[in-house]
Amino acid sequence: MLKNHLKIAWRNIKKDKLFTIIKIGGFSIGIAACLLIALFINNELSYDDHYQKKDRIFRVVMQGTMDGEVLKSVHFQRLFAETLESNYPEIEKAGKINTSELFGAGKRALRIQGSSQNMLDDGFVFADQRAVEILELDFLEGNRDEVFKNPSSIILTEEKAQRYFPNGDALGKTLFLDDNTDKPYTITGIVKNNPAIKSHFDFDFLLVIEDKNTSWTTTNYFTYVLVDENTNIPALEEKMGAILEDYFIPAQMERGMGEDFMEVLKTLEYKLQPIGDIHLKSDIKMGDGLKHGDIRFVWLFAAIAGFVLLLAVINFINLSTAKSANRAKEVGLRKTVGAFKGNLISQFLTESIIYSFISFFIGVLLAWLLLPNFNSIADKSIVMPWASWWFLPIIVVSTLVIGLFAGLYPAFYLSAFKPVNVLKGNLSIGSKSGSLRSGLVVFQFTTSVVLIIGTLIIYKQMNFILDKKLGYDKEQVLVVQGANLLNNRAQAFKERLLGLSEVKEVSISDYLPVEGTKRNGNSFRKSASGTEERSVPAQIWRVDYDYINTLGLQMKSGRGFSKEFANDSSAIVINTSMAKKLGLDNPLGRQINNGQDWTIIGVLEDFHFKNLKEDIEPLTLVLGNAPSMVSVKLANGVSDGAIEKIKGIWNDFVPNQTFEFTFLDQEYAQMHDDVKRMGKIFNSFTMFAILVACLGLFALSAFLVEQRKKEISIRLVLGAPFKSIYQLLTLDFMKLILLSILIAVPVGWYMMNRWLEDFAYKINIGWDIFLMAGFIALLVALLTISYQSISAALLKPLKNLRAE
Amino acid sequence: MLLQLKNIFKWVNSGGQRIFLLKDINLEVEEGEFISVMGPSGSGKSTLLNVIGMLDTFDEGEYNFLDESVHTLKEKHRSNLYKEYIGFVFQSYHLLDDLTVQENLEMPLLYKKFKGSERKAMVADMLDRFNIVGKKDLFPAQLSGGQQQLVGVARALIANPKLILADEPTGNLNSQQSEEIMQLFKKLNKEEGVTIIQVTHSEKNAAYGSRIINLLDGRKV
């Protein structure tokens, strides 16, 4: 019996090639999309999943409220970890890491002892011995229990070790960072590469923390704890509050914080964030600067995957029932010669499972082919888990489940035909389920239109971000990296550059309005008023005299730094937000204090120095030395010639270090890569969805034309013009598409409004987007249907009538 | 007695009027009979055949088939009954286009739980009897109308039914092909004792039967 079912199914698959291709094509695309997203989700969910003691590892978070706003921080004092470990017996270990560029994490120039070549590399992070233990780093060489026992220790990943020491003799070798021969680092460990392991914090080089700071007011370290088994976490969090009482608050008092600040201090509490939650469930307010996923996107993508698959299944159902007239005779006959309903149901289910099986085969193949593209869009390095024990079973089970799911309705529908109706020649059965099919078409197009709206809005926001007047000029600014190797010759380098006709301005500062450059936290008070004044948290950036001109910052009032004023070393330039926060209407000449007095000489127009998701915060500029980046404003646009000349000068100064540079506008765009990625992902899946929906629509219109051939022929014989036939066949579908657009608009509006809420600076969703989305959907649908409608209107009527 | 119809009525309601398709039909059929049903178009011949074949229901009256009262049976039992005892032959053959001759013959057996080897033997026997061994791997579209109907008859016979219902079996055939099919029916009836009820327009074909029933507007005349 099964053999017979298989045979019939196979012949049916072969018979109507167009329908088969569309059924299987749509199905395969849906499966490929679904599989890719499933792999993506699996990847996102698998972060920090590898620790043996996963359930006992936490990151400490401090939270409180100020003016009704929740504050969160994951930065703690150096002494915090030690204090936790010694004061709380249930905390087995507490360790810390530091990923801040301010302290030398991120990009460093590295030189192997005995070589003269400096190489710029990224991925430097600081950690202590305890962190290495808690985070269960897996060592290829070196002993985990004592890698960081000594100062000046450095750990490399296997990949970096192989790159810099191809002979495999990295352990014990000496490295210099930033060409500083006074502080040689010894390689004490090499960590295994394991692509299957994903962690919220990534590193290529791990440096031991050598900070001796005992202050309870400077907070620079992420702190991780390993607690004993069966520890009551809420109780421990509660108990940890004592640290605030005993150390943190007294230290703040000593610093002279006002009463207002005490109010904030009272709301503070410690929370323990399970390590598995860090990647997907961290709040942007925590400001840990790590690359996070977002659990909401995971759900969103899961929903999209589900929808795309559902669209494919719907297509299958739609096409199967649409073609039912062709199968009706078979059903009727089989019943008259003795088939039971059950026989027929199992026959049709077998058929749909075969479709599902073929589609899965093609779909998995398609996903595999698309995976590299998908990886580049999603910024992932997912591999097809062919070898994973669960992969094959999941695919097989999904094949069966989806095959059954897609086949169930057609099976029951088809097997219910009464033989007498069929044999009498009442073969109009195919049109009976017209309303169901219409419903399914509406569903498909609604989904497509929602996705189109999403894509359009994301792209519009992306353009908004890229075109936004940022308050500084990011164009034609080349940033020379690793300039700290110039040491005391930075100024001379700058002079040489200024000698080039291609160079307009040059500024030396590590603080640039893009991510990945230096940041800090400070608090200022008006120095004239007493300690009751609340302090204003603000960045303090060390810049040189030409910074403001190089970046094209606009002065609102006052002036920038100038060599003509001898006492500019205690001068400060603030932005407008800072002036507002300080409550100064006329800030020029006023003094502010962050432990040192500064005189305000100018107020800048606000400019965006953070991601547009965030508001512009208070910012101050002072003269100072931050020499690892040199920004060069080019005069006549970016040209290879200009870059070559700058490179030539660099090589004169630092011959043993390759010339590395970036462009400010590119860095800015990179900062918003997540939006761009989101846009691309949305775009891809919109394409998938539209393609599947159109395949379905195409087949459905083909079917309807087929069904109405006789009617069309009669109309043509009676003199109906081309136009009326075309309209006859097109209008019904167009009504469905219009209905879909009507449903999709509010859904898309709601969804994308939620997405835009993340941005402090965003576009308004206007009618133009909905019009555009509707227009696209209508156009695509019209083109799809027209092929069939036009060919029907050009029918040779006699041929069809004679056949009757 | 094979079957008995008593006062069978079948009607449809159309525009407040009741239109009778079958009106007070009484019929007794013995095993081994060969009956021809005649009458003009729309006289109810096919309806009667469908009622006898239990493919269609009726509104009033009694129908007994092999001592089972069909009118009181549930749908499922009824279909079991016809699947067991009745074979159908259609004017337009109704072979499945996607199946070869051999597979078309095998189809009824699939649903009767015959083993693969038994099915093979039965199909081979039937091919042999109808002299179509050479055509077994052809598809219906590759056969002439007469050959297709031959397969249709063979398929109706393969599960050894007691009764064959044939709705204008020669309606689409030319005279020579008609002749062959009718000869076949006659032979089946005479030599193997298969009961046959056929609907036909042709006096000549009707004459092959042992009894003729004439219908006019749903009534026996």
Side-chain angles (χ1 to χ4, degrees), chain B residues 83-123:
Chain B
K83 282 165 190 172
E84 176 97 35
Y85 296 111
I86 302 176
F88 295 87
V89 176
F90 306 96
Q91 176 178 359
S92 46
Y93 332 127
H94 284 333
L95 300 176
L96 286 186
D97 304 333
D98 301 331
L99 300 187
T100 61
V101 167
Q102 183 170 230
E103 288 159 354
N104 263 297
L105 290 181
E106 189 187 13
M107 192 172 66
L109 304 175
L110 282 171
Y111 300 118
K112 294 203 164 72
K113 312 277 176 238
F114 287 103
K115 285 200 195 103
S117 53
E118 287 178 280
R119 291 203 302 262
K120 242 186 200 133
M122 291 163 85
V123 171

Side-chain angles (χ1 to χ4, degrees), chain A residues 620-667:
Chain A
T620 64
L621 307 181
V622 299
L623 283 176
N625 190 27
S628 65
M629 295 181 191
V630 177
S631 304
V632 183
K633 174 84 178 180
L634 299 173
N636 312 312
V638 178
S639 67
D640 288 344
I643 295 171
E644 273 310 307
K645 282 188 184 167
I646 297 171
K647 186 179 174 183
I649 294 175
W650 172 265
N651 286 338
D652 289 349
F653 277 80
V654 209
N656 62 348
Q657 162 71 47
T658 44
F659 177 62
E660 303 243 3
F661 65 97
T662 54
F663 285 101
L664 199 58
D665 52 350
Q666 287 171 5
E667 298 243 326

Side-chain angles (χ1 to χ4, degrees), chain A residues 20-68:
Chain A
T20 301
I21 288 170
I22 288 174
K23 260 177 163 178
I24 290 182
F27 227 161
S28 308
I29 291 170
I31 286 161
C34 209
L35 182 61
L36 286 176
I37 296 183
L39 289 173
F40 171 78
I41 291 173
N42 178 49
N43 178 284
E44 283 286 281
L45 293 179
S46 65
Y47 273 77
D48 295 305
D49 205 27
H50 59 283
Y51 308 108
Q52 279 167 13
K53 297 171 188 159
K54 187 186 171 210
D55 301 335
R56 295 161 51 198
I57 307 174
F58 297 85
R59 181 171 75 168
V60 188
V61 178
M62 185 172 76
Q63 64 182 47
T65 47
M66 182 163 89
D67 298 336

Side-chain angles (χ1 to χ4, degrees), chain B residues 140-157:
Chain B
Q142 297 166 295
L143 302 176
S144 73
Q147 287 166 335
Q148 287 190 50
Q149 193 59 296
L150 215 55
V151 178
V153 176
R155 185 183 61 186
L157 278 174

Side-chain angles (χ1 to χ4, degrees), chain A residues 242-402:
Chain A
I243 292 188
L244 289 168
E245 300 289 331
D246 297 346
Y247 304 96
F248 186 63
I249 296 180
Q252 294 290 350
M253 299 285 283
E254 207 174 298
R255 240 180 109 198
M257 286 298 150
E259 287 296 317
D260 285 11
F261 196 63
M262 278 304 296
E263 291 300 315
V264 178
L265 290 179
K266 275 182 203 154
T267 66
L268 294 180
E269 53 185 346
Y270 292 122
K271 291 282 172 202
L272 295 175
Q273 182 184 30
I275 194 157
D277 284 357
I278 295 177
H279 180 64
L280 288 176
K281 294 180 188 161
S282 285
D283 195 327
I284 191 167
K285 283 185 189 138
M286 290 175 182
D288 59 12
L290 301 172
K291 242 188 188 177
H292 285 296
D294 188 328
I295 191 77
R296 291 173 308 162
F297 287 159
V298 170
W299 289 124
L300 179 67
F301 284 143
I304 292 178
F307 270 107
V308 173
L309 190 62
L310 200 57
L311 292 187
V313 168
I314 285 175
N315 250 0
F316 186 86
I317 295 174
N318 237 347
L319 298 178
S320 302
T321 53
K323 274 289 186 182
S324 60
N326 300 17
R327 303 302 292 273
K329 178 181 151 192
E330 180 187 340
V331 170
L333 258 170
R334 285 181 182 274
K335 280 190 171 178
T336 53
V337 302
F340 295 96
K341 201 173 170 184
N343 297 132
L344 293 167
I345 289 175
S346 76
Q347 180 190 339
F348 288 122
L349 284 182
T350 311
E351 211 173 295
S352 73
I353 289 172
I354 291 174
Y355 271 107
S356 169
F357 187 80
I358 298 173
S359 307
F360 258 87
F361 185 78
I362 298 174
V364 170
L365 213 64
L366 199 61
W368 179 62
L369 290 174
L370 290 175
L371 195 58
N373 296 322
F374 181 78
N375 272 335
S376 79
I377 291 174
D379 193 24
K380 289 274 174 195
S381 46
I382 302 168
V383 288
M384 233 23 187
W386 300 117
S388 300
W389 63 269
W390 45 264
F391 185 68
L392 206 61
I394 283 184
I395 293 291
V396 170
V397 170
S398 312
T399 308
L400 291 176
V401 169
I402 289 177

Side-chain angles (χ1 to χ4, degrees), chain A residues 629-753:
Chain A
M629 295 181 191
V630 177
S631 304
V632 183
K633 174 84 178 180
L634 299 173
N636 312 312
V638 178
S639 67
D640 288 344
I643 295 171
E644 273 310 307
K645 282 188 184 167
I646 297 171
K647 186 179 174 183
I649 294 175
W650 172 265
N651 286 338
D652 289 349
F653 277 80
V654 209
N656 62 348
Q657 162 71 47
T658 44
F659 177 62
E660 303 243 3
F661 65 97
T662 54
F663 285 101
L664 199 58
D665 52 350
Q666 287 171 5
E667 298 243 326
Y668 173 77
Q670 253 171 38
M671 194 156 105
H672 297 92
D673 259 1
D674 58 331
V675 183
K676 206 166 160 185
R677 266 206 300 282
M678 180 88 178
K680 278 185 181 166
I681 293 177
F682 244 78
N683 197 8
S684 317
F685 288 109
T686 305
M687 295 291 185
F688 271 140
I690 293 176
L691 189 63
V692 171
C694 283
L695 282 176
L697 196 60
F698 182 78
L700 215 54
S701 59
F703 159 74
L704 279 188
V705 167
E706 183 73 33
Q707 215 185 23
R708 296 174 77 170
K709 250 187 184 154
K710 189 176 161 197
E711 177 199 339
I712 296 164
S713 300
I714 293 172
R715 283 174 188 269
L716 283 169
V717 167
L718 296 177
F722 173 86
K723 196 178 126 201
S724 86
I725 299 288
Y726 180 77
Q727 277 175 352
L728 178 79
L729 292 168
T730 310
L731 268 182
D732 282 347
F733 276 120
M734 283 307 157
K735 281 183 202 151
L736 296 183
I737 308 301
L738 281 175
L739 181 63
S740 310
I741 294 170
L742 280 182
I743 299 172
V745 164
V747 177
W749 179 82
Y750 174 77
M751 197 175 86
M752 294 321 290
N753 230 11

